[in-house]
Amino acid sequence: MINLERVGEHEFVATNDRGASVRIGRKGQDGSFSPVELLVAAAAGCAAVTSETLILRRTGGEELTAVADAVQSESGNEVISIPVTLSYDLSAVDDPEALEVVVRRAVEQFCTVTRTLKQSATAPLQLPTPLQTASDPL
């Protein structure tokens, strides 16, 4: 579960159960991620975390980076695509095509974030309900 707490005007801190936190704010706000940037980071992070062991074991290296960006609709109110690019050294890899097949399969099968994005997960919003008082009719 993620807890989100307001810490200032247009500033929030999200905290998980393990004590990690991230600052969330409006787009362009110093020192924070916008909600869309977090979505993009989640897609890139999921692909990298999912493929890390496969890539590093076969490349013999330690370098793995991921870059992603949000492609938004003309109105700017929807993200229509989040292309993710993984980068790693192929110089020690005998069969780069085979590695590509394995990495793609792993990300497609096990990356929860990108699998969820492909399925267009719902995000139901729950709002507080007014408290009923003793004088309210039933």
Side-chain angles (χ1 to χ4, degrees):
M1 180 185 320
I2 301 296
N3 184 48
L4 188 72
E5 182 179 335
R6 183 175 186 264
V7 295
E9 184 177 5
H10 310 304
E11 294 181 83
F12 299 84
V13 172
T15 307
N16 67 15
D17 295 339
R18 296 176 311 282
S21 63
V22 63
R23 198 168 209 68
I24 303 171
R26 289 190 171 182
K27 182 180 178 180
Q29 188 172 10
D30 288 341
S32 65
F33 284 91
S34 74
V36 170
E37 289 169 332
L38 287 173
L39 181 64
V40 171
C46 188
V49 167
T50 300
S51 62
E52 176 184 29
T53 301
L54 292 170
I55 291 169
L56 298 184
R57 185 182 320 138
R58 285 167 177 81
T59 63
E62 290 293 321
E63 292 186 28
L64 169 60
T65 61
V67 176
D69 196 12
V71 178
Q72 294 187 288
S73 64
E74 287 184 29
S75 69
N77 292 328
E78 296 179 304
V79 173
I80 56 175
S81 178
I82 303 174
V84 175
T85 302
L86 295 177
S87 296
Y88 44 89
D89 184 7
L90 289 172
S91 63
V93 177
D94 293 332
D95 190 352
E97 291 83 15
L99 178 57
E100 179 181 340
V101 168
V102 172
V103 169
R104 283 188 188 283
R105 185 180 314 134
V107 172
E108 289 171 2
Q109 290 180 353
F110 302 113
C111 178
T112 304
V113 175
T114 56
R115 288 175 55 89
T116 301
L117 290 169
K118 286 180 185 177
Q119 296 180 12
S120 298
T122 62
L125 179 63
Q126 296 179 3
L127 301 173
T129 56
L131 296 176
Q132 203 172 31
T133 64
S135 62
D136 288 341
L138 297 176

